[in-house]
Amino acid sequence: LICNNNDLVTLNVANGNNTNFNNFSATNNPNLNCIQVDDTDYSTENWIAVDETANFSEDCSDTTPPTVITQNITLSLDENGEASLTPEEIDNGSSDDNEITSLTLDITNFSCENIGENTVTLIAEDANGNTANATATVSVEDTTAPIADEATLETITAQCEVNEEEITTPSATDNCSAVSVSHDVVFPITENTTITWTYEDESGNTSIQTQEVSIEDTTAPIADEATLETINAQCEITEAEITTPSATDNCSAVSVSH
């Protein structure tokens, strides 16, 4: 059977004997939506010379569109700031009097630019080319915390104290946004301390990293006078008669004993 280049809207070849057709062609029929056949599965598998807009059906009298039922969904972006969606995840029990042959979505891929609520449209088509659609809300969220750029932070060592301007603030990378960095210490640091760095992205996701600070004064005080004068006396000398010498330290006050 050859039926090409026509203005047909439907074509009925159901005669109980379709399997005996040696050749079937129905192309270049821009208005042909439905071809009524004995067995939809058989025709779909064996009769391939048809327009994409035409569908095989066992009942072309069906003009009722599918009933489309959707559901809202929440998507989490991955470490690359991407997420995808299938029509089946939005479908919530759509049905048709005959058979739904395809479900499609107008938007399937999402990125950081889509964070928040997005409206998608689910389109259903039945075996006779009848279509219907309904919308749903896709809430896209970023739940991935920033990742520190350095796996381990070097220990900071100092003799007396560490001031904030002496420390290089570490950094982190996020899948979607810029990262703010904060810490939990008060400067100057004058004793052994662990700094906790907090990385936060624009979605409020946080991660932490610690850094050790080691304060160790290993420098001895230096006498203010290189040489002390000899003390001379006739019989004895009391402590009150001696001037206690002094010294200067790189970190702290110096106590003097004898």
Side-chain angles (χ1 to χ4, degrees):
L1 174 65
I2 298 175
C3 185
N4 300 328
N5 304 306
N6 291 284
D7 292 326
L8 295 173
V9 176
T10 61
L11 173 63
N12 189 348
V13 296
N15 63 357
N17 198 32
N18 283 179
T19 56
N20 290 325
F21 282 21
N22 292 324
N23 184 29
F24 181 89
S25 177
T27 60
N28 297 317
N29 302 307
N31 300 317
L32 181 58
N33 293 318
C34 186
I35 303 173
Q36 188 162 322
V37 295
D38 293 342
D39 186 325
T40 300
D41 292 337
Y42 174 83
S43 298
T44 300
E45 182 178 351
N46 294 280
W47 299 350
I48 60 174
V50 295
D51 297 320
E52 291 184 359
T53 55
N55 297 280
F56 293 115
S57 174
E58 295 171 22
D59 181 15
C60 281
S61 63
D62 174 22
T63 60
T64 303
T67 298
V68 182
I69 304 174
T70 61
Q71 60 185 344
N72 299 332
I73 192 172
T74 298
L75 282 182
S76 294
L77 299 172
D78 63 17
E79 65 275 8
N80 297 315
E82 300 173 339
S84 60
L85 185 65
T86 65
E88 288 72 23
E89 292 176 279
I90 291 295
D91 182 41
N92 194 27
S94 301
S95 61
D96 185 71
D97 292 339
N98 189 350
E99 177 188 9
I100 293 179
T101 56
S102 71
L103 288 171
T104 57
L105 280 174
D106 63 337
I107 305 173
T108 58
N109 296 313
F110 300 86
S111 67
C112 298
E113 296 179 355
N114 302 116
I115 291 176
E117 294 187 349
N118 304 266
T119 300
V120 299
T121 301
L122 178 67
I123 305 165
E125 183 175 356
D126 67 15
N128 295 321
N130 302 305
T131 62
N133 63 74
T135 61
T137 298
V138 177
S139 298
V140 177
E141 60 182 12
D142 170 23
T143 58
T144 302
I147 298 175
D149 291 333
E150 295 186 26
T152 304
L153 297 177
E154 292 184 359
T155 297
I156 299 168
T157 59
Q159 289 275 327
C160 304
E161 64 181 20
V162 174
N163 294 297
E164 187 166 9
E165 59 270 18
E166 297 174 303
I167 292 181
T168 299
T169 302
S171 60
T173 301
D174 189 63
N175 61 335
C176 279
S177 66
V179 178
S180 63
V181 184
S182 59
H183 59 74
D184 64 344
V185 297
V186 176
F187 289 95
I189 299 172
T190 58
E191 60 184 7
N192 293 341
T193 302
T194 299
I195 303 175
T196 299
W197 297 98
T198 300
Y199 309 117
E200 182 173 1
D201 66 17
E202 292 178 3
S203 293
N205 302 302
T206 61
S207 60
I208 63 172
Q209 188 175 33
T210 58
Q211 185 172 25
E212 298 300 321
V213 178
S214 176
I215 304 296
E216 185 177 2
D217 178 10
T218 59
T219 302
I222 299 174
D224 291 334
E225 295 185 25
T227 304
L228 297 177
E229 292 183 0
T230 299
I231 302 171
N232 297 308
Q234 287 285 329
C235 299
E236 66 179 11
I237 190 167
T238 64
E239 185 171 1
E241 297 175 293
I242 295 178
T243 300
T244 303
S246 62
T248 301
D249 187 64
N250 62 328
C251 287
S252 63
V254 177
S255 63
V256 182
S257 61
H258 60 75

